[in-house]
């Protein structure tokens, strides 16, 4: 089968398509024929070595999968061959591959009205968005400030927060303001023209998808009961109001999210669809920091 692999850490040019043996189903695992995967910024950080939890290359990147079960390992009761699934897979054998080995407990049934591209755009971004709002205990009537709201995690977090009845304030470039208002944002701050700390205050929750000095600056706009949740390293420091979200597989939450998207209550924006032969180009786009919504990758 074809996979995207890399022999060394480095720029997008290290990504290459190679032949590899098709995975065999281990106990508790299934093998999924890939319908689509998607790019997350962590893929680029792993490729370059900025993040190292996959160890040394060679490895295959990718966490999101939508596809069809083709092999089932011992002890798997959730799925049979032919089932349509989607989910989040954290392995060194990755999802930038024609066939993906996945723990059965990391996958959910793919709703019939979600195509592969939409389903593949969801797992990491949507679970991170959902789990961040849970961690912050965001409640109806509260005010949330979402940084990098136009990106993969952000554009879903905006919609989840609005569905919870929160008032949603975002930071984004002006070109994304109309997009974010259509998704349910009440107020959008152009961070290139305005320092958000002067434009908003008394916020109940900040969801930080930028990091760095957005941490300490965000703490300054929190109200008395304020909570700050970040998906990125920031300078917020040790503070009881600070929590770090780490998106984790949850088939039950994915099923709920799939239903919301299938029912048209949440929209997934796909900025570009490329093939896995174009993985390097997809990484260049992701690293531009300008992707609106998600980048999706389909097989060669
Ligand atoms: N810890 C975890 O489990 C976890 C999970 C998922 C993601 N993350 C991290 O969370 C971050 C966001 O992920 P993502 O997938 O949403 O990224 P993404 O899709 O690549 O985000 C791109 C968006 O970021 C916006 N942006 C860039 N700089 C900004 C700034 N200074 N202020 C406001 N918006 C800015 C851009 O909008 P404009 O064009 O409007 O600037 C763009 O639309 C990444 O660092 C990622 O690694 C962590």
């Amino acid at each position: 089968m074809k996979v995207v692999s890399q022999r060394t850490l480095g720029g997008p040019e290290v990504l290459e398509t190679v032949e590899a043996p098709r995975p065999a189903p281990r106990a508790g695992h299934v093998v999924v024929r890939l319908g689509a995967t998607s790019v997350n910024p962590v893929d680029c950080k792993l490729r370059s070595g900025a993040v190292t939890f996959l160890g040394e290359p060679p490895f295959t990147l990718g966490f999101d999968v939508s596809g069809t079960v083709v092999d089932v390992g011992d002890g798997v009761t959730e799925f049979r061959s032919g089932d349509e699934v989607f989910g989040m897979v954290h392995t060194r054998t990755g999802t930038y591959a024609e066939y993906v080995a996945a723990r059965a407990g990391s996958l959910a049934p793919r709703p019939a009205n979600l195509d592969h591209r939409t389903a593949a755009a969801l797992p990491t971004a949507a679970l991170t968005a959902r789990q961040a709002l849970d961690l912050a205990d965001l409640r109806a009537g509260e005010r949330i400030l979402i940084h990098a709201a136009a990106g993969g995690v952000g554009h879903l977090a905006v919609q989840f927060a609005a569905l919870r009845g929160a008032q949603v304030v975002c930071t984004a470039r002006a070109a994304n303001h109309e997009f974010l208002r259509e998704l349910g944002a009440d107020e959008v701050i152009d961070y290139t023209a305005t320092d958000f700390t002067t434009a908003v205050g008394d916020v109940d929750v900040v969801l930080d998808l930028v990091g760095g000095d957005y941490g300490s600056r965000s703490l300054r706009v929190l109200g008395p009961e304020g909570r700050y949740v970040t998906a990125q390293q920031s300078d917020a420091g040790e503070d009881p109001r600070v929590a770090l979200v780490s998106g984790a597989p949850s088939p039950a939450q994915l099923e709920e999210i799939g239903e919301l998207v299938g029912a048209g209550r949440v929209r997934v924006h796909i900025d570009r669809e490329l093939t896995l032969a174009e993985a390097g180009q997809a990484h260049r786009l992701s690293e531009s920091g300008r992707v609106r919504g998600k980048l999706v990758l389909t097989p060669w």
Side-chain angles (χ1 to χ4, degrees):
M1 68 162 182
K2 287 187 175 126
V3 301
V4 174
S5 184
Q6 61 183 96
R7 281 174 280 191
T8 58
L9 302 173
E13 69 284 353
V14 302
L15 299 177
E16 56 181 354
T17 295
V18 300
E19 285 294 323
R22 183 171 146 171
R26 287 188 288 135
H29 288 63
V30 297
V31 177
V32 176
R33 186 173 60 240
L34 189 80
T37 180
S38 78
V39 179
N40 291 289
V42 70
D43 301 353
C44 303
K45 296 172 194 172
L46 286 161
R47 187 210 68 227
S48 70
V51 169
T52 56
F53 63 79
L54 288 186
E56 289 296 313
F59 49 65
T60 291
L61 298 169
F63 295 118
D64 293 331
V65 60
S66 173
T68 311
V69 174
V70 291
D71 279 314
V72 176
D74 289 343
V76 172
T77 52
E78 301 95 321
F79 300 112
R80 292 187 298 187
S81 272
D83 284 353
E84 296 293 333
V85 293
F86 72 131
M88 188 175 175
V89 179
H90 271 209
T91 66
R92 274 172 61 86
T93 50
T95 62
Y96 292 12
E98 277 182 295
Y99 292 90
V100 172
R103 202 166 50 77
S106 64
L107 301 173
R110 178 169 65 91
N113 58 356
L114 290 199
D115 60 23
H116 282 308
R117 292 165 311 163
T118 306
L122 281 169
T124 301
L127 288 171
T128 304
R130 153 82 194 256
Q131 291 166 12
L133 301 189
D134 286 347
L135 191 61
D137 190 24
L138 179 71
R139 297 183 287 264
E142 289 194 317
R143 189 139 74 126
I144 182 169
L145 170 63
I146 301 175
H147 295 305
V153 179
H155 88 295
L156 294 165
V158 167
Q159 297 175 77
F160 294 159
L163 278 176
R164 287 183 188 212
Q167 195 199 345
V168 182
V169 185
C170 303
T171 55
R173 283 178 309 131
N176 283 321
H177 288 199
E178 195 182 330
F179 168 67
L180 289 167
R181 285 188 193 281
E182 281 170 8
L183 297 182
D186 297 290
E187 201 182 318
V188 194
I189 300 165
D190 179 359
Y191 67 89
T192 67
T194 306
D195 175 353
F196 71 86
T197 63
T198 65
V200 65
D202 208 17
V203 168
D204 299 295
V205 172
V206 173
L207 172 55
D208 184 2
L209 302 167
V210 176
D213 74 349
Y214 271 54
S216 54
R217 293 167 67 209
S218 294
L219 293 183
R220 302 214 299 268
V221 306
L222 287 180
E225 305 283 314
R227 290 88 75 195
Y228 165 87
V229 175
T230 182
Q232 266 283 48
Q233 292 295 337
S234 86
D235 69 351
E238 300 254 329
D239 187 301
R241 297 170 296 175
V242 172
L244 180 69
V245 66
S246 182
S250 167
Q253 290 178 359
L254 256 192
E255 277 199 63
E256 283 175 29
I257 291 163
E259 279 168 23
L260 285 173
V261 176
R265 297 182 68 203
V266 167
R267 220 174 88 198
V268 180
H269 181 84
I270 295 173
D271 187 322
R272 286 276 294 277
E273 178 187 330
L274 298 95
T275 70
L276 280 165
E278 303 166 302
Q281 191 190 339
H283 276 213
R284 282 184 200 97
L285 288 169
S286 178
E287 288 176 321
S288 75
R290 289 288 164 262
V291 172
R292 176 189 283 185
K294 290 289 299 177
L295 291 173
V296 165
L297 296 169
T298 51
W300 289 259

